[in-house]
Amino acid sequence: MNSMEKINQFRDDRDWRQFHQEKDLALSITLEAAELLELFQWKTSEEAKEQPERLKEELADVLIYSYMMADNLGFDIDEIIDEKLKKNALKYPIEQSKGQR
Amino acid sequence: MNSMEKINQFRDDRDWRQFHQEKDLALSITLEAAELLELFQWKTSEEAKEQPERLKEELADVLIYSYMMADNLGFDIDEIIDEKLKKNALKYPIEQSKGQR
Amino acid sequence: MNSMEKINQFRDDRDWRQFHQEKDLALSITLEAAELLELFQWKTSEEAKEQPERLKEELADVLIYSYMMADNLGFDIDEIIDEKLKKNALKYPIEQSKGQR
Amino acid sequence: MNSMEKINQFRDDRDWRQFHQEKDLALSITLEAAELLELFQWKTSEEAKEQPERLKEELADVLIYSYMMADNLGFDIDEIIDEKLKKNALKYPIEQSKGQR
């Protein structure tokens, strides 16, 4: 099974899809992003990286809810990433963007 | 190329990896999650879903920064999702969790 | 008029209180906090402080929605701040907390 | 003492102002907003309001960090709220905005 299939099996096994309205998924992605960000509160990047297990877990949570949202909306993960990178490439042409923040 | 390779090529073409300190990536994931959430502000899930193109873009941004974070930290996306699902499965056994929010 | 009265007059003049369900206010506080945070993206504190007008506006937005939430829930701003500081004081006694992050 | 003075005394008693760089305060406001938002996850506004003590605490935390940010930047809370409401009033004239989301 790929990651999307595993995530869907997890929620279907528990009959949880009924709770996963998209507004609550969007809210959950934000909450998980905040939990990841919390690992950096009052810290430098270097200090935060001393907790790789916590980083793994919180980042995984962001991804899991994002995958659920994609599935709910019928989006293909790789396709929407590819489309967005193409839009970004037009907005930030290599020549003008190189080394510029 | 897979999604991770495309994302890395995008930032390497622009020499942007120097800006991608993990604290700023964590902050960026949160900001993109908020932009996704904003599409649901003052709306029901049904109303928000009338803007699929915006949803695609904002969700893709969350994913792109999350993939960059994983790459920076040396994490494999599928592996951390799998590990987290296994932890969640122990925390929420099917029997006790079925249909429970 | 004090700030709370001005905020309430603003929304009552526009008949907007009907939209201000608490879940959407909580969501809005988060979105405004993210807009404030965005002024610090890829920047140091010093660099971000070069935009005082933007900081003023975004911080004011966080405060305005927070005041609306307090009003909706019947909370007195000064009272809930005072109560929370007292709880924090018990959790972080001066002796043990001094100079400790 | 007013709320701002109490907040400042709290952090000065603990010699904590040294940690309160504005980027970390902005991050903290977002984290506290997310904790407030979490009380609404998978819930309606009505369901969330059954926990008034938690709502009080999390809203107070948003306010406390927002007040610290204002103080750090030399902003007067009432003044920035007043200025922002005036800008909003120009953007949303009563006539055109009444009852419109």
Side-chain angles (χ1 to χ4, degrees):
Chain A
M1 280 197 292
N2 65 27
S3 290
M4 185 64 96
E5 290 163 345
K6 288 179 192 172
I7 290 167
N8 279 327
Q9 186 182 39
F10 183 88
R11 55 178 176 163
D12 288 332
D13 279 350
R14 284 156 189 78
D15 204 9
W16 278 1
R17 215 183 269 258
Q18 59 181 312
F19 305 125
H20 293 168
Q21 285 155 57
E22 291 75 19
K23 186 166 183 166
D24 274 309
L25 288 181
L27 196 153
S28 300
I29 294 169
T30 304
L31 299 185
E32 297 301 343
E35 290 191 24
L36 175 62
L37 184 59
E38 192 172 8
L39 301 176
F40 293 86
Q41 191 184 25
W42 318 123
K43 294 186 183 162
T44 63
S45 293
E46 290 315 307
E47 289 166 338
K49 284 194 278 185
E50 289 165 18
Q51 302 184 72
E53 286 311 311
R54 296 293 313 282
L55 289 166
K56 262 183 208 179
E57 287 192 22
E58 301 303 348
L59 182 57
D61 280 334
V62 173
L63 287 163
I64 289 169
Y65 278 118
S66 298
Y67 275 53
M68 286 184 192
M69 177 71 102
D71 189 71
N72 270 35
L73 297 172
F75 299 161
D76 179 86
I77 295 281
D78 292 312
E79 207 172 285
I80 65 174
I81 289 176
D82 186 64
E83 284 175 22
K84 190 57 169 59
L85 288 174
K86 281 177 180 151
K87 277 183 194 162
N88 288 351
L90 290 173
K91 196 170 164 191
Y92 302 103
I94 293 176
E95 288 302 298
Q96 291 93 309
S97 308
K98 198 156 186 153
Q100 305 293 318
R101 192 171 53 180
Chain B
M1 279 198 291
N2 64 29
S3 289
M4 185 63 96
E5 289 163 345
K6 288 180 191 171
I7 290 167
N8 279 326
Q9 186 181 40
F10 184 89
R11 55 178 175 162
D12 287 332
D13 278 350
R14 284 156 189 79
D15 203 10
W16 278 1
R17 214 184 271 257
Q18 60 182 311
F19 305 125
H20 292 168
Q21 285 154 58
E22 292 76 19
K23 187 167 183 166
D24 274 309
L25 288 181
L27 196 153
S28 300
I29 294 170
T30 303
L31 298 185
E32 298 301 343
E35 290 190 24
L36 175 62
L37 184 59
E38 192 171 10
L39 300 176
F40 294 87
Q41 192 184 24
W42 318 123
K43 294 186 182 162
T44 63
S45 293
E46 290 316 306
E47 290 167 337
K49 285 194 279 187
E50 288 165 19
Q51 301 183 74
E53 285 311 310
R54 297 292 314 282
L55 289 166
K56 260 183 210 179
E57 287 191 23
E58 301 303 348
L59 182 57
D61 279 334
V62 174
L63 287 163
I64 290 168
Y65 278 119
S66 298
Y67 275 54
M68 285 183 192
M69 178 71 103
D71 189 71
N72 270 35
L73 298 172
F75 300 161
D76 179 86
I77 294 282
D78 293 312
E79 206 171 286
I80 64 173
I81 289 176
D82 187 65
E83 283 175 21
K84 192 55 169 60
L85 288 174
K86 282 177 179 151
K87 278 183 194 161
N88 288 351
L90 290 174
K91 197 171 164 190
Y92 302 104
I94 295 177
E95 288 300 299
Q96 290 94 309
S97 308
K98 199 156 187 151
Q100 305 293 319
R101 193 170 54 180
Chain C
M1 278 198 291
N2 64 30
S3 289
M4 185 64 94
E5 289 162 346
K6 288 179 191 170
I7 290 167
N8 279 326
Q9 187 181 41
F10 183 89
R11 55 178 175 162
D12 288 331
D13 278 351
R14 284 157 190 77
D15 203 9
W16 278 2
R17 215 184 271 257
Q18 59 180 312
F19 304 125
H20 292 166
Q21 286 155 57
E22 291 76 20
K23 187 166 183 168
D24 273 310
L25 287 182
L27 196 152
S28 300
I29 294 170
T30 304
L31 299 185
E32 298 300 342
E35 290 190 24
L36 175 62
L37 184 59
E38 192 171 10
L39 301 177
F40 294 87
Q41 193 184 23
W42 318 123
K43 293 186 183 163
T44 63
S45 294
E46 290 315 306
E47 289 165 340
K49 285 195 278 186
E50 287 165 19
Q51 301 184 73
E53 286 311 311
R54 296 293 314 283
L55 290 166
K56 261 184 209 179
E57 287 191 21
E58 301 303 349
L59 181 57
D61 280 335
V62 174
L63 287 163
I64 289 169
Y65 277 119
S66 298
Y67 275 54
M68 285 184 192
M69 177 71 103
D71 189 71
N72 270 33
L73 297 173
F75 299 161
D76 179 85
I77 295 281
D78 293 311
E79 208 170 285
I80 64 174
I81 289 175
D82 186 65
E83 282 174 22
K84 191 56 167 60
L85 289 174
K86 281 177 180 150
K87 276 183 195 160
N88 288 351
L90 290 173
K91 198 170 163 190
Y92 302 104
I94 295 178
E95 288 301 298
Q96 290 92 311
S97 309
K98 198 154 188 153
Q100 306 292 320
R101 194 170 53 183
Chain D
M1 279 198 291
N2 65 29
S3 288
M4 185 64 96
E5 289 162 346
K6 287 179 192 171
I7 290 167
N8 279 326
Q9 187 182 38
F10 183 89
R11 56 178 174 161
D12 287 332
D13 278 350
R14 284 156 190 78
D15 204 9
W16 278 1
R17 214 183 271 257
Q18 59 181 313
F19 305 125
H20 292 167
Q21 285 155 58
E22 291 75 19
K23 186 167 183 166
D24 273 310
L25 288 181
L27 195 153
S28 300
I29 294 170
T30 303
L31 299 185
E32 297 300 342
E35 290 190 22
L36 176 61
L37 184 59
E38 192 173 8
L39 301 177
F40 294 87
Q41 192 183 25
W42 318 121
K43 293 188 183 162
T44 63
S45 293
E46 290 315 307
E47 290 166 336
K49 285 196 278 186
E50 288 165 18
Q51 301 184 74
E53 286 310 311
R54 297 293 313 282
L55 290 166
K56 261 184 208 179
E57 287 192 23
E58 301 303 348
L59 182 57
D61 280 335
V62 174
L63 287 163
I64 289 168
Y65 277 119
S66 298
Y67 275 54
M68 286 184 193
M69 177 71 103
D71 189 72
N72 269 35
L73 298 172
F75 299 162
D76 179 86
I77 295 281
D78 293 311
E79 207 172 285
I80 65 174
I81 289 176
D82 186 65
E83 282 174 21
K84 191 55 169 58
L85 288 174
K86 281 176 180 151
K87 277 183 195 163
N88 288 352
L90 290 173
K91 197 170 165 190
Y92 303 104
I94 294 177
E95 289 301 299
Q96 291 93 309
S97 308
K98 197 154 188 153
Q100 306 293 320
R101 194 170 52 179

